[in-house]
Amino acid sequence: SLQRHSGFGRGPGPGEDHQYEMELTLEELFTGGTRELTVPMTVSHPQTRSRYRVEPSYTVDVVAGWKEGTRISFPKRVVEYPQIGKMQLPPVTFVVTQRRHPYFERIGDDLLIKVRLTSAQAKKRLTMEIPLLDGTKFSFVSGMRGERIEHGTMREFPNKGMPIKGGPKRGKLFVQFQFTDRGSSFNHPRGSASMFY
């Protein structure tokens, strides 16, 4: 989705950079891809000074691993419209925002997911299956080699997190266990987190 930061509806001043928020899902930030964006704006004809509402299109190549706050800038350009003629469009900048994910929290290049189980289940050897952001699944076994799972226990898996600068290296995946028959107060690697899974 697109949202103008400020000044929506008024014509751009000379050389003014139009800024828009570009909301991306965590899946899009994980895999990368292409986004076609249409931006409504009001511009003035260079000769007549008449004002026109136009909707130029922009193609953004999303790089896997982009973070919130990433800026993608397009310089001013001239576009010819039927029955209007050539119009100069102002510079446009898209600022990435990240849509909240129902299961994962992103912490830099790392991902955190919380898994619910009972304290009785935690005493058993269990196979856990985590759906990853690229559609694949990651399985691991809890309770191996005398491992003790407690309320809030954290497991760390290297190279299962977000791509780093486009890849191929990736951050870590943190899995935190929550006992459903106890409270839900947690600490994660870098502060407080909300419930995800």
Side-chain angles (χ1 to χ4, degrees):
S1 63
L2 289 177
Q3 182 178 349
R4 178 73 185 278
H5 279 296
S6 63
F8 185 84
R10 63 178 179 83
E16 177 186 355
D17 184 358
H18 283 200
Q19 294 191 30
Y20 296 85
E21 292 180 356
M22 180 176 64
E23 185 182 61
L24 298 174
T25 65
L26 198 52
E27 286 83 357
E28 288 176 305
L29 292 170
F30 186 90
T31 60
T34 301
R35 288 286 297 269
E36 298 288 339
L37 304 170
T38 299
V39 179
M41 62 176 67
T42 302
V43 295
S44 298
H45 193 280
Q47 278 80 42
T48 66
R49 310 308 298 172
S50 298
R51 299 172 70 79
Y52 296 93
R53 189 72 165 171
V54 296
E55 296 186 355
S57 297
Y58 297 84
T59 301
V60 177
D61 293 322
V62 178
V63 177
W66 269 358
K67 294 182 172 67
E68 193 165 63
T70 298
R71 300 169 67 87
I72 308 95
S73 297
F74 292 84
K76 62 183 178 181
R77 59 175 174 156
V78 175
V79 177
E80 187 162 357
Y81 290 95
Q83 301 178 340
I84 299 177
K86 293 182 178 180
M87 305 288 287
Q88 180 169 288
L89 305 181
V92 168
T93 296
F94 298 104
V95 182
V96 172
T97 62
Q98 178 187 299
R99 185 181 305 169
R100 179 169 176 168
H101 196 275
Y103 304 131
F104 287 100
E105 180 178 357
R106 183 178 185 175
I107 312 164
D109 295 317
D110 302 327
L111 291 170
L112 168 69
I113 190 169
K114 294 185 177 181
V115 177
R116 296 181 179 183
L117 72 168
T118 66
S119 54
Q121 288 174 320
K123 297 176 183 178
K124 303 175 182 179
R125 181 178 297 183
L126 299 175
T127 299
M128 303 283 180
E129 190 172 73
I130 306 295
L132 300 179
L133 294 170
D134 59 358
T136 62
K137 294 182 179 181
F138 170 63
S139 298
F140 67 94
V141 178
S142 66
M144 292 286 288
R145 298 182 296 275
E147 175 191 32
R148 184 175 179 181
I149 302 296
E150 298 180 346
H151 182 69
T153 293
M154 187 86 68
R155 289 282 300 273
E156 176 183 325
F157 300 95
N159 207 39
K160 295 294 182 182
M162 294 294 293
I164 300 174
K165 295 181 180 179
K169 291 185 178 180
R170 287 163 54 177
K172 299 174 182 177
L173 170 66
F174 290 93
V175 178
Q176 191 173 46
F177 297 97
Q178 174 194 359
F179 289 179
T180 56
D181 47 358
R182 289 192 54 178
S184 58
S185 176
F186 287 102
N187 292 316
H188 73 47
R190 303 181 194 176
S192 63
S194 56
M195 303 294 292
F196 281 86
Y197 187 68

